[in-house]
Amino acid sequence: MRDAQTGAAVEWLAAVAPDPLGCRRAWDDNPFRTLLLPAGTRWDVLLVPGRLGYPAFDALARRVERPGPVLADVGGTRVGFFVPPATGEHWVGTGVRCAGAGTWVVVPRPGHAADGTRWLVPPDGSGTLNEPSVLEDALHEAAAGLAAARGLRRTEA
């Protein structure tokens, strides 16, 4: 990530912190640390199990030139898509959770992995988020692909 873009991304993320200056300083002191940031003001995070989240990320990347911010845990168990605030209030899906107003999200500094969390797509500082309807289509495509693969395994057995 370019330095100017990283700086803009840090500013964008830090703006939601109770102490934005403290957030920026913490990342300046140690760019490999994670911070807890409140969801629900500028963004929510749709948390998807990795077995669905990674194929959905691939489908999303085929649909848009550059997806909005996407986090993943290093173990591959969860993928987090940054979406507009209040998106989770209307989202229904097995195993899908949404971090929205009143919740906190573990976030690494853009451009770095830290404490088991990494960016698949770091924020660019512009405020661009994942469009819920496009993400929903990508999740449906990923779920259909998983179901088809499961069906193939059953017929081969």
Side-chain angles (χ1 to χ4, degrees), residues 70-81:
V70 181
L71 279 174
D73 66 6
V74 174
T77 59
R78 287 247 173 238
V79 176
F81 298 90

Side-chain angles (χ1 to χ4, degrees), residues 17-32:
D19 177 8
L21 179 59
C23 178
R24 291 189 305 273
R25 283 184 181 156
W27 274 330
D28 286 344
D29 290 344
N30 181 356
F32 296 99

Side-chain angles (χ1 to χ4, degrees), residues 13-24 35-39 41 43 103-105:
L13 286 168
V16 303
D19 177 8
L21 179 59
C23 178
R24 291 189 305 273
L35 299 175
L36 279 173
L37 295 178
T41 54
W43 39 261
T103 63
W104 295 73
V105 178

